[in-house]
Amino acid sequence: MSGLLRICTAGSVDDGKSTLIGRMLHDSQAVYEDQVHSVRAASQNRGVGPIDFSLFTDGLKAEREQGITIDVAYRYFATARRKFILADTPGHEQYTRNMATGASTADLAILLVDATQGVRTQSRRHARIASLLGISEYVLAVNKMDLVDFSREVFEDIRGAFEEILGDVGCHALPLSALHGDNVTTLSPRTPWFEGPSLLEHLETVTVTRDLTLSPFRFPVQLVIRPDREFRGYAGQIAAGIVRVGDTVTAWPSARTARVKRIVTYEGDLDVAFAPMSVTLVVDDEIDISRGDQLSSVAHPPHVGNRFQAEVVWMDERPADPARVYVLKHTTRSVAAALSRGLALNQIGTVTVSATRPLVFDRYDNNRTTGSFILIDPASGFTCGAGMITGLGEGDRTEPDTTFGAAARLVQLARQAGSDAEAIAAVEKALEEMLI
Amino acid sequence: MTTATVSSEPTIAPAMRMDHLRALEAEAVHILREVVAEFERPVMLYSIGKDSSVMLRLAQKAFHPGPIPFPLLHVDTTYKFREMIEFRDQMARAVGARLIVHTNSTAIADGTQPFKVGTQRCCGLLKTKGLLDALEAGSFDAALGGARRDEERSRAKERIFSVRDAKGQWDPKRQRPELWHLLNARLQPGETIRVFPLSNWTEIDVWQYIHVERIPVVPMYFATEREVIVRGNSLIVPEQPFVPVLPGDTLQVVRCRMRSLGCSPCTGAVRSDADTVPKIIEELVAARQSERQLRVIDHDQDGSMELKKREGYF
Ligand SMILES: Nc1nc2c(ncn2[C@@H]2O[C@H](COP(=O)(O)OP(=O)(O)O)[C@@H](O)[C@H]2O)c(=O)[nH]1
C-alpha cells in the first residue's frame, strides 16, 4: 500500500525497544512538546535520569509502576516520505500473543537484539512468530553498540546467527545505539564500517511486496443492505483482487454464479473496485446471499470445507481442549469448531480444525484475510486462539471424522442446526450438559 | 538472507493503489458494518467535534444507499459552547439521524460545575456517569466513539472492540487480543462494548479527510478575532454564563481558534491564523504542542486519562 508502512517490533525485556521507539518518535518530530514536558516530569518522579525515552511508549500505569511493557501499543508517526503505524509488542515470553497480534497486520518486523547479550532463545522465538504470521521483510536492529565499542565483529556475529534463523527473506541489519541515536535517523561516525542506510531512511524507502490486487478476487459479505424493495446490495471489504461491473462471480458456499451489476459507493457507482476497498455490490441474480458468504473469482475458486489444518497460537490461560467447542470467526462467518489437540498458553501448534459448517477459505500464505481465523471461548468471550490455515485436512468435504470423541458428537449436533447462531447455541447447551 | 531492495515502487497501475486516507476509510467502514451486523442495539457517540464529524460521514458511507442504522447520542454537560449545540442540531437534521441528548440532570441540579467540585469530579459526574446512564437507559450493547490511539498514551493500547464490564469499566489487563481485522463481538451478560473506528487515524489524518471530503465542522475550529481572557499562556473564551471572569482578568481581542472542543470552562483557545482547513493542517504539521495541551482535564495528574477510562469514560 503506498504511503503506509505497518511495522511491528520484537525484542527481549531490556534490549532497548522502548528506547528505540521513543527515539524514532522523538526524532521524527512526532512527539509534541507538551508530551516531552509531561514525560520529563514523570521520569523525574521515578528518579531515572533526565529523559527516559521508554516513557513515550510505556502507556499504562501498571507498566510504569512495574517498569515493563505488558501490552501492545500502537504508535503513529510520519516523515515527509511515508506514514507509519507501529505496533509495539512486549518481549516477555508470557506475552507471545501480543507479538502475534502486532505481527498479524504488519508488513515489516523490527527484531531487536542487545549487542552485549547476543542472540537468545527469545530472539529465535520472535523471529519464528513473525514469519509464521506472514512477515517477509525484516530489520535486525543490533542495539547498545555503544557498550561493545561499536565492534564490527560483535555485529557480524549476531547478523550471521540471524541469517540462519530467518532464512531467505529480506533483512536489513543495523548497528544501533537507541540511547545515543547512532544510525537511527542518520549514519553514525562511530560505525564507519557500516554502509547504511540508517533505520529511518530504510523504513522510508523499503519496498514491501505484498499486493492484494494481484490475487484472485475475494469478497466476504459483511452485510446485506436493503433500504427498500428496489435495492439489495452486499456490503463488504474486498479481501483480494479486483472486481469490475459485468464480471461473473461465484457465491460460496452455494456455488451459484451471478454477474456484478453495480459497484455502489456513497460517491457514486464505480466501474472497478479493488482490495482493500469497502464497497457494496449489486448482482443481477436473485440468489440468496447473506453475511458470511463469499463472492469470489470464478477462475480461481477458494477452498470450501469443514476441515483444515492450521497453525494455532494459543492466547488464553485456560488451555485449548479437544473436548470443548469454540466459536470460530473466519472473515465474516462465525461457526462452532473443535480442535484435534490441546495447546497451552503461548503455545503454537499444528491443529486439525473441524467446523460445524463449511468455511470458504484460502491458505494463509496466499491470503492473510481469507486464511486466518480467531477462536473464541464461548464461556468467557475471550479471544483464546488465532489460526493460520496451512492446508486441507484429509476428509475435507466429507463427514467429520469421529476421532475427536465428544467434539465429533457436537459437530454432528451442530450440523443439524439451521444457522450458525443456532448451531452455536445447540453446541453450547450440549457442552454444558456434558460438563456437569 | 537477501539484502532488502530499496528500488523504486513495483509496477502496478497507479489506479489500483489506495492512499493512506482511503485505506483508513475502508478500514473504518468495515468496522462500522461489523458493529451493525453483530450487535442488536448500537449507538454512536456524537460529541460535536471534528472526530465526530468524520464518524458521521463514515457512517453515511458504510450504509449507503440506506440510512444510518443507529441513533446518535450526545452526552450534554450543559457547559458546551452555544455554537456547538447549534451545529449539533443542524448536523443531526442534515444526515437524518435520530439524536438522543442526555444530561446528568441530578448532578446539574446539585450545582456540579468545574470551579466548584474540581474538573475531575465534574467530568466524572457529567461525562462518565452521564454516558453510563445514557447507555443503560437505551439498553445499548455497543457504543461507537471517535477516540484515536494517538491522542494520549493510555489510548495507544485501546482495542477497536473494547469490552466493558457490567459497570462500564475498562480493565486494561483483560483486553482481548485483536488480530488481523477479525473483531470479536461476543459479550457475556451485562458486558457492553466500545468501538473505535478511528483508532488508527492521527489528528492530521482527520483534518486531511475533512478537507478532501469537504466535511462541515464547528466554525470555532477556525481562526478569527475573538475576545478572550488571557491567563498566562491560556486563552479562555468567556462563554457566559459558564466562565467566571476573575478579578484581574482583562479581555483582549486575539486572533485564535480552538484545537479541540470541550466544555467552555475547561477548553482553551490557541493563537492562530489558520482560518481554513489547509492552513490548519499546515499549522499542525509545524505544531509543537499536542491538541490536548489546552484541555485542562488531562493535566490533573499523570495517567489521569487512564483513570477516567477505567471508570467508564471513553
Ligand atoms: N548503553 C545503552 N543503553 C541502552 C540503549 N538502549 C536502551 N538502553 C538502556 O537499556 C535499558 C532498557 O531499555 P528499554 O528501552 O526500557 O528496554 P525494553 O524493555 O526493551 O523496552 C534502559 O536502561 C535503557 O536506558 C543503548 O543503545 N545503549
Side-chain angles (χ1 to χ4, degrees):
Chain A
M1 205 174 302
S2 71
L4 175 63
L5 188 72
R6 292 178 190 253
I7 305 168
C8 72
T9 58
S12 303
V13 177
D14 283 344
D15 283 353
K17 189 154 50 65
S18 305
T19 307
L20 178 63
I21 295 167
R23 166 68 68 178
M24 286 198 292
L25 297 179
H26 182 268
D27 289 3
S28 69
Q29 304 282 321
V31 176
Y32 296 138
E33 205 171 33
D34 72 329
Q35 283 176 328
V36 175
H37 286 318
S38 71
V39 164
R40 203 172 269 147
S43 65
Q44 271 159 1
N45 288 343
R46 268 199 348 180
V48 287
I51 182 158
D52 178 351
F53 284 108
S54 68
L55 282 172
F56 286 115
T57 48
D58 287 2
L60 302 177
K61 239 181 149 56
E63 288 167 280
R64 289 199 291 278
E65 280 152 14
Q66 296 162 22
I68 55 159
T69 312
I70 55 168
D71 202 346
V72 189
Y74 292 90
R75 293 285 152 190
Y76 306 85
F77 64 105
T79 65
R81 290 200 249 182
R82 214 173 208 172
K83 296 221 176 205
F84 302 94
I85 298 181
L86 187 147
D88 177 15
T89 57
H92 202 280
E93 179 141 32
Q94 75 187 92
Y95 292 106
T96 296
R97 67 170 184 225
N98 293 322
M99 159 111 210
T101 303
S104 73
T105 48
D107 304 306
L108 178 147
I110 298 179
L111 301 174
L112 201 72
V113 183
D114 181 336
T116 66
Q117 302 279 332
V119 180
R120 289 181 284 182
T121 322
Q122 277 282 306
S123 320
R124 289 173 202 280
R125 197 175 166 85
H126 292 147
R128 166 145 189 261
I129 296 169
S131 92
L132 192 69
L133 277 121
I135 293 177
S136 57
E137 195 61 53
Y138 294 84
V139 165
L140 173 63
V142 182
N143 189 35
K144 306 198 188 180
M145 286 298 290
D146 55 306
L147 298 181
V148 295
D149 290 330
F150 293 93
S151 152
R152 180 172 193 170
E153 208 185 323
V154 170
F155 173 73
E156 293 296 347
D157 280 354
I158 293 173
R159 187 230 281 267
F162 258 92
E163 277 178 17
E164 276 172 35
I165 298 170
L166 287 173
D168 189 26
V169 294
C171 183
H172 180 55
L174 292 137
L176 292 182
S177 170
L179 195 62
H180 303 291
D182 298 78
N183 295 323
V184 176
T185 47
T186 51
L187 291 184
S188 168
R190 299 199 276 187
T191 52
W193 44 267
F194 175 64
E195 284 171 20
S198 71
L199 177 58
L200 215 58
E201 192 186 339
H202 176 71
L203 295 179
E204 281 182 312
T205 49
V206 66
T207 304
V208 280
T209 46
R210 175 173 301 120
D211 187 344
L212 293 169
T213 60
L214 300 179
S215 303
F217 177 62
R218 301 284 186 261
F219 185 75
V221 174
Q222 259 190 298
L223 204 62
V224 181
I225 294 192
R226 231 175 158 177
D228 52 52
R229 263 184 217 146
E230 311 288 281
F231 189 91
R232 183 183 171 89
Y234 304 110
Q237 184 169 19
I238 302 173
I242 300 168
V243 65
R244 291 186 172 80
V245 172
D247 279 359
T248 303
V249 292
T250 313
W252 295 101
S254 73
R256 293 190 51 177
T257 56
R259 267 160 61 93
V260 176
K261 208 161 73 176
R262 292 177 61 192
I263 303 170
V264 179
T265 74
Y266 179 80
E267 287 76 26
D269 283 13
L270 303 176
D271 298 327
V272 55
F274 51 90
M277 288 167 72
S278 285
V279 292
T280 298
L281 302 182
V282 177
V283 299
D284 68 353
D285 205 352
E286 282 293 304
I287 57 176
D288 184 29
I289 298 170
S290 49
R291 173 171 167 86
D293 293 350
Q294 191 189 99
L295 300 176
S296 40
S297 153
V298 174
H300 300 96
H303 298 288
V304 181
N306 292 63
R307 292 193 68 197
F308 49 81
Q309 231 97 53
E311 289 294 307
V312 172
V313 182
W314 200 252
M315 306 187 290
D316 199 357
E317 265 147 42
R318 181 171 181 179
D321 181 351
R324 293 188 68 207
V325 170
Y326 298 93
V327 178
L328 182 154
K329 185 168 179 182
H330 169 264
T331 66
T332 55
R333 170 171 286 225
S334 295
V335 299
L339 309 178
S340 61
R341 55 171 284 192
L343 287 169
L345 175 63
N346 289 318
Q347 196 182 350
I348 300 169
T350 307
V351 176
T352 302
V353 180
S354 192
T356 51
R357 297 166 64 77
L359 296 177
V360 185
F361 63 90
D362 293 288
R363 276 189 12 222
Y364 185 76
D365 53 8
N366 289 328
N367 188 312
R368 267 176 156 186
T369 303
T370 53
S372 59
F373 60 89
I374 53 170
L375 294 161
I376 300 165
D377 186 329
S380 66
F382 197 73
T383 307
C384 52
M388 289 139 283
I389 300 173
T390 51
L392 304 180
E394 7 62 284
D396 181 52
R397 290 172 205 260
T398 65
E399 291 302 302
D401 88 5
T402 50
T403 52
F404 298 175
R409 287 214 307 282
L410 295 172
V411 167
Q412 214 70 48
L413 190 74
R415 291 192 80 178
Q416 292 156 8
S419 69
D420 294 340
E422 274 176 37
I424 290 168
V427 163
E428 277 173 14
K429 189 159 165 282
L431 188 68
E432 274 165 24
E433 282 161 12
M434 278 169 166
L435 292 177
I436 293 165
Chain B
M1 190 154 77
T2 50
T3 308
T5 44
V6 193
S7 62
S8 56
E9 305 277 290
T11 47
I12 295 157
M16 295 296 175
R17 315 203 86 193
M18 281 165 86
D19 68 16
H20 178 69
L21 280 184
R22 293 298 160 203
L24 291 174
E25 175 191 72
E27 178 184 87
V29 165
H30 171 85
I31 295 164
L32 286 164
R33 288 170 171 172
E34 280 300 285
V35 169
V36 168
E38 298 257 23
F39 294 95
E40 310 248 308
R41 291 181 64 82
V43 66
M44 181 183 277
L45 270 291
Y46 181 70
S47 67
I48 320 176
K50 61 185 188 302
D51 304 307
S52 286
S53 289
V54 167
M55 289 274 284
L56 259 192
R57 173 60 53 89
L58 292 168
Q60 287 179 294
K61 291 195 179 201
F63 308 103
H64 176 82
I68 297 177
F70 37 71
L72 311 179
L73 169 65
H74 179 226
V75 179
D76 192 354
T77 60
T78 72
Y79 298 126
K80 302 292 171 190
F81 294 96
R82 216 161 285 121
E83 273 182 69
M84 292 172 71
I85 300 301
E86 281 162 20
F87 184 85
R88 174 194 75 190
D89 296 340
Q90 209 179 308
M91 281 310 286
R93 268 197 306 276
V95 302
R98 183 162 78 91
L99 173 70
I100 303 165
V101 177
H102 183 94
T103 297
N104 182 351
S105 11
T106 322
I108 293 293
D110 289 347
T112 303
Q113 47 164 286
F115 300 114
K116 256 200 207 155
V117 300
T119 53
Q120 257 192 61
R121 195 168 149 66
C122 189
C123 280
L125 286 167
L126 299 184
K127 288 187 176 176
T128 308
K129 178 133 195 338
L131 171 66
L132 295 176
D133 290 349
L135 293 179
E136 207 186 318
S139 313
F140 297 115
D141 52 358
L144 288 148
R148 292 174 282 107
R149 286 182 183 140
D150 86 324
E151 277 177 54
E152 200 272 343
R153 271 184 295 164
S154 69
R155 289 217 197 269
K157 306 199 168 188
E158 183 59 278
R159 300 298 193 261
I160 291 172
F161 271 25
S162 179
V163 180
R164 303 302 162 101
D165 66 16
K167 288 190 188 128
Q169 294 176 344
W170 182 58
D171 180 0
K173 289 223 175 109
R174 234 346 239 183
Q175 294 206 89
R176 295 168 175 178
E178 264 176 4
L179 291 96
W180 303 288
H181 302 286
L182 288 167
L183 301 165
N184 175 357
R186 240 183 128 76
L187 297 179
Q188 301 306 116
E191 286 178 345
T192 57
I193 207 148
R194 306 281 172 90
V195 181
F196 303 108
L198 304 185
S199 286
N200 287 326
W201 297 50
T202 63
E203 188 184 10
I204 289 176
D205 296 329
V206 166
W207 280 114
Q208 282 179 335
Y209 192 70
I210 286 169
H211 180 58
V212 299
E213 292 280 322
R214 299 175 192 283
I215 295 172
V217 292
V218 182
M220 298 185 79
Y221 282 117
F222 300 107
T224 183
E225 260 83 41
R226 288 188 175 84
E227 202 169 56
V228 293
I229 305 168
V230 182
R231 285 186 200 142
N233 285 330
S234 313
L235 305 180
I236 299 171
V237 179
E239 182 88 352
Q240 291 309 316
F242 310 129
V243 179
V245 180
L246 305 176
D249 277 347
T250 49
L251 290 176
Q252 285 179 34
V253 175
V254 177
R255 195 163 167 80
C256 60
R257 66 180 200 88
M258 316 300 279
R259 272 193 69 184
S260 64
L261 290 178
C263 295
S264 54
C266 293
T267 311
V270 287
R271 287 175 199 275
S272 168
D273 274 325
D275 52 7
T276 63
V277 176
K279 282 191 199 164
I280 289 176
I281 294 170
E282 221 172 277
E283 186 186 275
L284 283 176
V285 171
R288 315 237 353 124
Q289 297 175 333
S290 84
E291 69 173 325
R292 288 180 171 265
Q293 183 184 16
L294 293 154
R295 275 179 83 164
V296 186
I297 52 170
D298 285 353
H299 280 262
D300 283 348
Q301 65 181 101
D302 184 41
S304 65
M305 176 62 86
E306 185 187 335
L307 284 176
K308 283 198 298 186
K309 279 174 64 65
R310 282 169 182 267
E311 284 160 9
Y313 183 62
F314 249 79

